[in-house]
Amino acid sequence: MDITIAIFITLVGAATPILIAALGELVVEKAGVLNLGVEGMMLVGAIAGFAAQFYTGNPYLALLAGAFAGAATSMIFGFLTLSLSANQTATGLALTIFGTGFSALAGAPFSARPIELMRPLFPAELATHPMWRVLFGYSAPVYFSFFMVFAIWYFLKKTRAGLILRAVGENDLSAHSIGYSVKGVRYAAVMFGGAMAGIAGACFPLLLTPQWAERMTAGRGWIAVALVVFASWKPFRLLAGAYLFGLVMTMELYAKAGGGPLSIIPSELWAALPYLATIVVLVLISLRRDASTNAPACLGKPFLPSN
Amino acid sequence: MTITRRTILKTGAAAAALPLLGSRAFAQGEPLKIGFIYVGTINDNGYNYAHNQGRLYVEEQLGDAVETTYVENVPEGPDCERVLRELAQQGNKLIFATSFGFGDSVIKVAQQFPDVKFEHATGYQKAENVGLYNARFYEGRAVCGTIAGHLSKTGKLAYIGSFPIPEVVMGINALALSARRINPDITVKPVYISTWNDPAKEADAARALIDQGVDVIAQHTDGPAALQVAQERGIIGGFGQGADMSAFAPETQLTAIIDNWGPHYLASAQAVIDGTWVAGDTWEGLKENVVEMGPYNEKIPAEVVADAEKVRTGQIDGSFHIFTGPIKDNTGAERVAAGVTMTDAELLSMDWYVEGVEQPA
């Protein structure tokens, strides 16, 4: 198999969970809520997905279980920050700590138990040629992630519901004063973000390593949170950003593993690239005049109407 | 953000001790409290799992005479100091720090608690109340390397390591030396991933290596992720590390290096109870059953198994030592003269690679 194609296939695997989780967080932040609990929700999704796959052997049920578990976890955050107006930053961090511990506890009986990987979506005949493999060789979550990039862009830009969600994120009091339910919209957004993080977490045992390991997401939830800022809250930039991060994460390993052209750029530089890229993007964003208008104006602020 | 489960454990231990309350009146004095800290989780099916099995062995053997506590997922850094101090303050008189990176913290905390005995695994800094213990994992690597040397078709082996510390470097070199005894054309590609536990990264490293022609993979991280990728891609094989990982890769695990810490933990606990403990420096291997080999995969031909067994038994009876010269490093310079065996001190500070190992990028 051509090495370029091999790299691309590995890169898709690395980028997909980050992209799915980041898309969820993007919608949450567009509604004006900052949920830093992505890593924790991913871990809860991962163990739920693992357990469902272990007991049923049906990866679609496993993805659903991951989505459900992530959404349920996010409702803890929703209740604390939206109903009780707790500090979002602190609650999000607490949610990550909770998710890490809870998934470890729930996962304890599942160590030393391998499961089946999710199979590719399309029949193997379509993916015999390496070039076709690049298009048809993946399992469902990969195509789902691409679909969701488009769907979220369409929802936010072209639909009335998306406009309301953005209004809630930009100016909650105005949205409230003309009769929209700020809390309702935010609850829905937080739940959607939780479900997406749960699916992203379930991708780890289903797509990458068919086992349960504590903390198996290893910080990728935080990359997802950072990517949303990196992409300045735009779905298609998020797609590019997730694949850029996936590329550098993958290339670091291929550069270490390989000789020849792969090691022209040293692996240390690949390892440093995500951070360099983040700095460059942040500088570029801040150079633009309208930069400040891009972040949802009510991001992270509790909604406290006077009446 | 350390999640500990020692409270759960304590409750469990208390519950287990309940039926014994009656006989407890006869026990002499307080039970010896022993603390363990692990860098990862006890459910990793590898290195930390093996240490915890050792702890359970002590409990099983000494029963009421000991009370053990463990803290898992302790990061190698300042937080480790806090955990050690807490364990000492809770009355643990013997504390095992089971990962290399805990070393500096152990030395610091040991100075503050002179009446507490510490033992540090795979480390190098000793003190009055800090003993060292280690296992000769490289002996197991020599057995693995023999199998890899026979079976590899592409002649490319890989070794996914965590950090370039002597422990890992030694394993890479033992694998390369033993494989090249069989097939001098073999090369070993080390890849360091800078973590003990990130299954997705371990798996991606394995993918990267297999995509570039590697057909036998060894790993020195704490879990079976690389082995699973090897199984998925159908390469010749890999090796379990720390524990038997054949459940994850039944067709691909050629054999495993199994850590068996129980006897050492038992001996140390007994010595503290008897008042005979002194800061030791033990380094035991196949001979003492601290390192054991897992079952050989059925697909390995009988003559290869026989050869691997020869290497295993040779290390037990002392007739074979993998680090016996002549050994050249990977720049071609002779490091060990013919007939000379490297000393333990030289092995424990190994920072160079033998011939046939590619310099890590």
Side-chain angles (χ1 to χ4, degrees), chain A residues 32-72:
Chain A
V33 181
L34 180 68
N35 185 353
L36 295 179
V38 177
E39 177 85 357
M41 299 188 292
M42 280 173 81
L43 280 166
V44 175
I47 185 57
F50 178 94
Q53 173 76 342
F54 182 77
Y55 286 119
T56 70
N58 183 336
Y60 293 96
L61 269 183
L63 287 172
L64 267 182
F68 183 79

Side-chain angles (χ1 to χ4, degrees), chain A residues 213-214, chain B residues 5 38-45 48-49 72-73 197:
Chain A
E214 276 181 31
Chain B
R5 277 192 272 147
Y38 309 131
V39 68
T41 149
I42 60 166
N43 294 318
D44 66 358
N45 301 299
N48 298 291
Y49 166 82
E72 54 183 345
N73 290 321
N197 182 26

Side-chain angles (χ1 to χ4, degrees), chain B residues 210-352:
Chain B
I210 294 169
D211 284 339
Q212 297 181 53
V214 163
D215 65 357
V216 179
I217 287 190
Q219 88 278 8
H220 200 139
T221 49
D222 289 347
L227 212 47
Q228 281 188 312
V229 173
Q231 166 100 7
E232 177 195 327
R233 294 283 178 97
I235 62 164
I236 289 171
F239 303 98
Q241 159 70 12
D244 185 354
M245 298 175 171
S246 53
F248 292 95
E251 283 120 61
T252 311
Q253 178 181 293
L254 300 173
T255 183
I257 302 173
I258 300 173
D259 309 343
N260 182 20
W261 301 101
H264 173 79
Y265 287 152
L266 181 63
S268 292
Q270 194 60 53
V272 173
I273 291 172
D274 297 343
T276 56
W277 189 92
V278 282
D281 190 349
T282 62
W283 200 16
E284 296 166 330
L286 287 168
K287 186 177 160 196
E288 297 85 358
N289 290 325
V290 169
V291 177
E292 293 174 341
M293 298 310 295
Y296 294 110
N297 194 300
E298 281 169 18
K299 72 176 181 185
I300 307 175
E303 64 270 19
V304 177
V305 170
D307 206 14
E309 273 299 288
K310 230 162 66 189
V311 170
R312 189 178 75 89
T313 51
Q315 293 181 104
I316 292 174
D317 64 29
S319 61
F320 176 74
H321 196 297
I322 186 68
F323 289 109
T324 303
I327 301 175
K328 282 184 187 167
D329 69 16
N330 62 356
T331 64
E334 187 178 272
R335 288 291 190 130
V336 184
V340 176
T341 298
M342 291 178 72
T343 63
D344 285 356
E346 283 168 343
L347 287 176
L348 287 170
S349 57
M350 203 167 210
D351 60 354
W352 50 274

Side-chain angles (χ1 to χ4, degrees), chain B residues 110-159:
Chain B
Q111 282 167 356
Q112 297 160 2
F113 295 91
D115 62 328
V116 177
K117 324 276 191 254
F118 292 84
E119 291 202 20
H120 179 215
T122 72
Y124 58 93
Q125 302 173 80
K126 254 179 92 170
E128 188 80 2
N129 59 337
V130 178
L132 302 173
Y133 65 106
N134 199 352
R136 294 182 188 268
F137 303 114
Y138 71 82
E139 293 184 345
R141 293 284 173 204
V143 180
C144 296
T146 308
I147 298 171
H150 279 290
L151 295 188
S152 174
K153 292 202 175 73
T154 61
K156 285 167 134 183
L157 315 185
Y159 199 109

Side-chain angles (χ1 to χ4, degrees), chain B residues 37-39 74-76 80 84 97-106 120:
Chain B
I37 60 169
Y38 309 131
V39 68
V74 178
E76 296 178 332
C80 166
L84 284 170
T98 62
S99 185
F100 176 82
F102 295 150
D104 294 339
S105 309
V106 170
H120 179 215

Side-chain angles (χ1 to χ4, degrees), chain A residues 79-115:
Chain A
F79 178 72
L80 290 170
T81 58
L82 302 177
S83 293
L84 304 181
S85 300
N87 179 295
Q88 292 180 8
T89 309
T91 312
L93 291 171
L95 193 70
T96 285
I97 298 171
F98 166 77
T100 310
F102 178 78
S103 61
L105 185 67
F110 295 108
S111 67
R113 307 269 177 96
I115 53 169

